Amino acid sequence: MSKPAIALVVPDLSVYSGVPAVALYLYRIITEAGRHQPELISIATSSNDRNSRRLFSPGTWGGPRSSEEEIRGHFYRHVGASLTELEFQRYRPRRVLTEELRRFDLVQIVAGTPPWTLVAKDFDGPIALQVATLTAVERESILRDTPWPRRAVMLLMTKINTAMEPAALRLADAVFVENDWMYRRLLAEYGPEKVIFAAPGVDVEFFQPGEYQAQGPILSVGRFHDPRKNVSLLLRAYAQLRQVRPDAPKLIMAGEVGPTETDLALAAELGILPHLEIQLAVSLDQLRELYRSASMFVLSSNEEGLGIVILEAMACGIPVVSTRCGGPETSVVEGETGFLTPLNNAAAMSQRMNELLSDASLGRRMGVNGRTRAVARFSLEATGRIYLEKYDELLSGRERPGPAGDRS
């Protein structure tokens, strides 16, 4: 008997970030369990998507296309949309995608927000959604920093997306959520049979501690061009740290994309540019060594669904200083594995970094506690079991709520 096939449908896999990282995590746990056969399918997210029908490009008017692509050694299909310049069009089902999905027994949507579920509206089998947040929450800081008139367009799209969210959540047979606040929010409306707390896991065998480096570099990892990462907060907190501790270790920023020119100009203005090291496109082996050599990990975001980089840091046995931005409250235990600071409070973040540099035993103890928590709650084995058991339940032949076209 052939294994049930699962389609992992993900917004644009060509841009590696938190959502693709979760998709690759699911691909791995499904593959290693051996009970199901996963495949990756990427869908359009931008106005100039390469496989989409675009309003002002007559050469694309033949319709959305599908092509084979590759990410980190994994092949996937990338499927375009119709009129992709209009954001809400990217959430609509299209024939080329529906034809792809008919090869599968179950569709797992992996996305930041619920509306992406609607691309599978014409699929006849079970649909699961792994989701981090809601549209309005995700875009709050982006909207604040976006100038008019583009902000007006984004506000309109945010309202449209928010209006689509109830239908998207009803469409899913299971909704996996990765942080406490989202779980509480959806549980009250949809119940425990449908809403499952399931944080993505981290490879605790790969991300392992070295000897704790109490005066090692301060490390931050992320897509630093994203305004939600609030790089200016990180830079201001580090500048304040150097005012009270001139011998503070350097700040390493590692990620796929570096800080913006505006942020680099701020670093120069604050006088910290000589103490800033930017490392781009680091391999997993290099990333692990960065964690292991650091005295602490710092995250300055305005919004995070969970923050897989926090889990990686904890698995490597280093303390975490993070803003209270949604997801980190799920993984970081205040005062035990690290510190949680208010949003946009550089002084509080600077103070916590200074405490860790001033007390090596504190940092070492938090690192040990973080490693213990990562293994117990966020290992691939601990987190993967939740997904696999729900897939088995969804595929066991239970009746669905009705024909796909009726679930709107």
Side-chain angles (χ1 to χ4, degrees):
M1 180 182 295
S2 61
K3 301 174 184 177
I6 297 178
L8 296 171
V9 180
V10 195
D12 203 347
L13 275 167
S14 70
V15 182
Y16 189 78
S17 59
V19 170
V22 173
L24 293 180
Y25 150 75
L26 287 174
Y27 184 90
R28 176 175 176 177
I29 64 167
I30 295 169
T31 301
E32 291 182 353
R35 305 205 297 264
H36 315 93
Q37 180 62 48
E39 291 187 34
L40 293 161
I41 297 179
S42 165
I43 48 180
T45 63
S46 71
S47 59
N48 59 354
D49 180 79
R50 56 200 177 279
N51 283 353
S52 293
R53 177 191 287 132
R54 302 193 298 276
L55 187 61
F56 299 109
S57 298
T60 68
W61 289 356
R65 299 183 299 110
S66 171
S67 63
E68 187 175 70
E69 313 282 349
E70 183 181 359
I71 180 173
R72 300 197 170 193
H74 299 290
F75 290 96
Y76 64 91
R77 302 298 301 181
H78 179 74
V79 182
S82 293
L83 305 180
T84 190
E85 294 92 342
L86 303 173
E87 184 184 344
F88 57 83
Q89 286 289 121
R90 303 168 201 167
Y91 308 125
R92 293 175 60 86
R94 47 271 199 187
R95 183 178 302 173
V96 63
L97 177 59
T98 301
E99 289 297 322
E100 291 278 359
L101 296 182
R102 284 176 180 159
R103 300 188 289 110
F104 297 92
D105 300 288
L106 182 147
V107 168
Q108 169 70 72
I109 307 291
V110 184
T113 56
W116 291 105
T117 316
L118 297 172
V119 300
K121 186 177 179 181
D122 294 338
F123 176 69
D124 291 329
I127 300 170
L129 168 65
Q130 196 283 339
V131 67
T133 187
L134 300 174
T135 306
V137 176
E138 180 187 56
R139 297 188 178 180
E140 183 178 358
S141 62
I142 298 176
L143 285 166
R144 187 169 55 245
D145 296 333
T146 301
W148 295 94
R150 178 167 172 73
R151 187 191 303 178
V153 176
M154 286 190 66
L155 281 168
L156 177 61
M157 291 301 102
T158 299
K159 289 181 179 180
I160 292 173
N161 288 4
T162 299
M164 298 168 76
E165 287 179 343
L169 290 165
R170 287 196 302 269
L171 180 66
D173 296 285
V175 181
F176 298 106
V177 295
E178 60 188 41
N179 56 61
D180 292 332
W181 78 263
M182 187 71 165
Y183 179 67
R184 292 193 299 269
R185 176 78 171 263
L186 298 186
L187 184 65
E189 185 168 357
Y190 298 100
E193 283 298 309
K194 180 165 181 168
V195 181
I196 305 106
F197 181 85
V202 63
D203 187 345
V204 296
E205 298 302 317
F206 179 82
F207 290 103
Q208 288 211 19
E211 184 176 347
Y212 178 61
Q213 304 296 315
Q215 296 302 314
I218 296 168
L219 176 65
S220 188
V221 179
R223 291 171 293 117
F224 297 110
H225 71 297
D226 187 334
R228 289 173 296 180
K229 303 305 177 184
N230 199 353
V231 172
S232 64
L233 171 63
L234 175 65
L235 298 176
R236 293 182 189 281
Y238 181 65
Q240 290 186 27
L241 173 66
R242 292 198 64 85
Q243 288 177 1
V244 298
R245 182 181 286 271
D247 63 343
K250 65 183 175 182
L251 170 63
I252 297 179
M253 300 174 68
E256 294 287 324
V257 184
T260 64
E261 291 299 322
T262 300
D263 287 325
L264 290 175
L266 175 61
E269 178 185 332
L270 294 170
I272 59 172
L273 200 54
H275 309 287
L276 180 63
E277 181 179 316
I278 299 171
Q279 296 195 26
L280 302 180
V282 297
S283 68
L284 280 177
D285 286 337
Q286 291 170 322
L287 180 60
R288 176 180 58 186
E289 292 312 306
L290 286 174
Y291 286 127
R292 289 157 61 104
S293 67
S295 59
M296 70 188 78
F297 178 81
V298 181
L299 186 107
S300 56
S301 298
N302 289 331
E303 186 273 330
E304 289 283 347
L306 178 65
I308 290 179
V309 289
I310 288 179
L311 301 183
E312 293 171 350
M314 288 169 57
C316 287
I318 61 173
V320 173
V321 178
S322 172
T323 50
R324 290 185 179 272
C325 58
E329 292 95 304
T330 300
S331 54
V332 178
V333 179
E334 170 68 21
E336 293 185 19
T337 67
F339 294 116
L340 294 165
T341 64
L343 296 178
N344 293 309
N345 192 324
M349 180 166 281
S350 172
Q351 178 184 341
R352 291 307 196 185
M353 288 192 285
N354 191 32
E355 286 181 42
L356 289 170
L357 291 174
S358 301
D359 187 346
S361 63
L362 174 64
R364 186 175 292 107
R365 184 172 69 252
M366 285 185 165
V368 170
N369 291 342
R371 169 70 185 179
T372 300
R373 182 171 171 79
V375 171
R377 288 201 56 186
F378 300 105
S379 67
L380 296 178
E381 181 181 4
T383 57
R385 188 183 309 115
I386 299 170
Y387 288 93
L388 295 168
E389 290 177 355
K390 192 64 180 181
Y391 294 155
D392 288 339
E393 179 185 328
L394 293 173
L395 291 164
S396 65
R398 294 188 311 147
E399 288 291 324
R400 287 183 53 74
D406 292 341
R407 298 195 310 274
S408 58

